[in-house]
Amino acid sequence: VEPSNVSFQHAISFMSDLHNSTSGGLDAVVALGGGSTIDTAKAANLYTCHPPSERDFYTYVNPVIGKGQPIPGPLLPLIAVPTTAGTGSETTGVSIFDDIPSKSKTGIAHRRLKPTLGVVDPHNTATMPPEVAKYSGLDVLCHAIESYTALPYNQRPKPQSPLHRPAYQG
């Protein structure tokens, strides 16, 4: 199940409340689960550390759905512990979700979203249910095909600054 703008906002609210109610705030974020869980933790970390001035959820969301604003500063350390294989979310600066109002799949992309540490246990795949292993394999295949369909960096328009370079090219 893909996370949505609604589930992201729920996680952001939960983490922000926890961060604000804890003396000294939170020290780090741990994301234990599949790619959706890790992507949700990335978004919650971002909006807890840098809430947009107008409280507009779409401030950091990629254009054309959102404004695509760069992340203004560092986030809390994020430790990603994937329990599936295939999304690669523990290695990327991308957080994907279903945007319900526009009925589209979009995301937030920036280098600062990349987890500080990924703890990967290859034995997890041996104990996954067969259906999860099958769909994780399809996810890997889709990412591999995507690498052949992406435009090379030298065929893309030059960004106005390094901060505006895309975090992914798929």
Side-chain angles (χ1 to χ4, degrees), residues 9 27 80 93 98 102 104 109 115 125 128 130 146 159 168:
Q9 289 169 339
D27 295 324
D98 288 337
S102 66
S104 62
T125 56
M128 281 193 294
E146 188 177 48
Y168 64 95

Side-chain angles (χ1 to χ4, degrees), residues 7 9-10 25-26 30 43 52-53 66 73 76 93 95 102 115 128-129 135-136 144 149:
S7 67
Q9 289 169 339
H10 179 75
L26 300 174
V30 177
S53 56
L76 292 170
S95 180
S102 66
M128 281 193 294
Y135 292 120
S136 293
T149 64

Side-chain angles (χ1 to χ4, degrees), residues 1-62:
V1 175
E2 291 281 350
S4 69
N5 57 303
V6 174
S7 67
F8 268 19
Q9 289 169 339
H10 179 75
I12 292 163
S13 176
F14 178 82
M15 185 171 161
S16 294
D17 290 348
L18 185 62
H19 184 67
N20 294 330
S21 69
T22 306
S23 176
L26 300 174
D27 295 324
V29 179
V30 177
L32 174 66
S36 295
T37 301
I38 296 170
D39 285 357
T40 300
K42 291 176 188 178
N45 191 9
L46 166 59
Y47 285 87
T48 296
C49 292
H50 301 288
S53 56
E54 309 97 37
R55 295 284 188 216
D56 180 4
F57 173 74
Y58 294 95
T59 296
Y60 302 115
V61 175
N62 298 335

Side-chain angles (χ1 to χ4, degrees), residues 5 13 18 28 46 49 56 79 89 91 98 123 139-140 147 156:
N5 57 303
S13 176
L18 185 62
L46 166 59
C49 292
D56 180 4
I79 301 167
S89 188
T91 66
D98 288 337
H123 297 291
D139 204 5
V140 171
S147 70
R156 293 179 170 270

